[in-house]
Amino acid sequence: MNQKTFPQSPGSTGKEGMNYWMQQQMRAKPDIPGSQMAISAGINSFFTVNCLVDMSVTSWAVEKRDFAHLQQYLAWREEERFIAPIMFILLLGLPMAFYEMAKGVYGAAVGFRASGLRHIGDVAQFVTLWTILLPTVVLVLIPTVKEAASCNLQEEECIATVVRLPRLNMTLLALNFLMLAWDILKYNGNRGEVAEAEEVLKEK
């Protein structure tokens, strides 16, 4: 009767192979379950839809030179009672997201076992979120929106600020799509070792 070997085991079988596999799992990135991928995609979709709405409104207003209505929309965005609380709740998870993503980058740096796609996705997503997307939102988009919502439309500087909004929204939309792409890349980089090992154990 042929015995199957455990993943990454150097030809060993049975108990010896299982022990080796368990030791190796201590230095392996766990696969991303489908449920985690679904949650990430759902959160990304929420922010993407919001960004699409903002881009649609700002682009239309700039094209029509209807800056007064655009300011009303920006004022509503600051005062509405449903979307902002949801965003706030989601943003509370940023510390945990930083921890999990930092673990992925650390694993790639010290050589934890994972596919190349998984390592690339972990590092690229960390860099995209923490060095590009969040700084763009906090340091550029939010101050620009606040200024555009309250500035005097009779001044050229105010018009210049308002006209910047569609480009900023488009940039944010592209970054949201990029974050989703990294999630898909990481999920496609699953090795399937845990499922394979469990199948082997059932046959013992």
Side-chain angles (χ1 to χ4, degrees), residues 1-187:
M1 180 177 177
N2 295 328
Q3 282 188 306
K4 291 184 180 179
T5 58
F6 284 92
Q8 302 297 317
S9 170
S12 56
T13 58
K15 186 176 180 181
E16 181 184 352
M18 182 58 181
N19 289 338
Y20 179 87
W21 178 81
M22 290 179 66
Q23 291 172 4
Q24 289 300 301
Q25 285 304 108
M26 298 298 292
R27 293 185 60 82
K29 291 183 178 181
D31 285 348
I32 297 175
S35 58
Q36 182 179 332
M37 177 63 195
I39 292 173
S40 297
I43 293 174
N44 182 278
S45 298
F46 174 79
F47 285 106
T48 298
V49 169
N50 273 280
C51 190
L52 273 171
V53 172
D54 287 342
M55 189 177 72
S56 298
V57 174
T58 55
S59 298
W60 176 85
V62 169
E63 181 181 348
K64 299 295 184 181
R65 311 296 289 181
D66 193 350
F67 301 131
H69 282 153
L70 177 56
Q71 282 193 327
Q72 291 179 351
Y73 171 77
L74 296 177
W76 169 79
R77 287 287 284 172
E78 288 187 355
E79 297 177 5
E80 60 83 25
R81 302 179 180 179
F82 300 102
I83 299 175
I86 295 175
M87 284 189 173
F88 177 75
I89 292 172
L90 293 176
L91 292 176
L92 289 177
L94 279 178
M96 180 58 68
F98 179 84
Y99 172 72
E100 291 296 330
M101 295 170 80
K103 281 200 310 182
V105 174
Y106 172 78
V110 301
F112 278 20
R113 197 172 71 259
S115 67
L117 291 179
R118 176 64 185 278
H119 284 318
I120 292 171
D122 282 337
V123 175
Q125 192 172 58
F126 183 91
V127 171
T128 301
L129 179 61
W130 298 101
T131 68
I132 303 175
L133 197 156
L134 286 179
T136 298
V137 172
V138 175
L139 301 178
V140 182
L141 181 64
I142 292 178
T144 302
V145 168
K146 288 185 177 296
E147 183 179 351
S150 58
C151 65
N152 185 351
L153 291 173
Q154 302 301 318
E155 300 176 358
E156 291 186 7
E157 185 178 348
C158 178
I159 300 299
T161 300
V162 172
V163 169
R164 291 178 60 199
L165 289 176
R167 291 197 303 273
L168 288 175
N169 290 136
M170 188 176 299
T171 299
L172 191 60
L173 181 65
L175 290 172
N176 277 322
F177 281 131
L178 192 57
M179 289 292 292
L180 179 60
W182 298 139
D183 274 327
I184 295 172
L185 188 70
K186 288 162 58 176
Y187 185 72

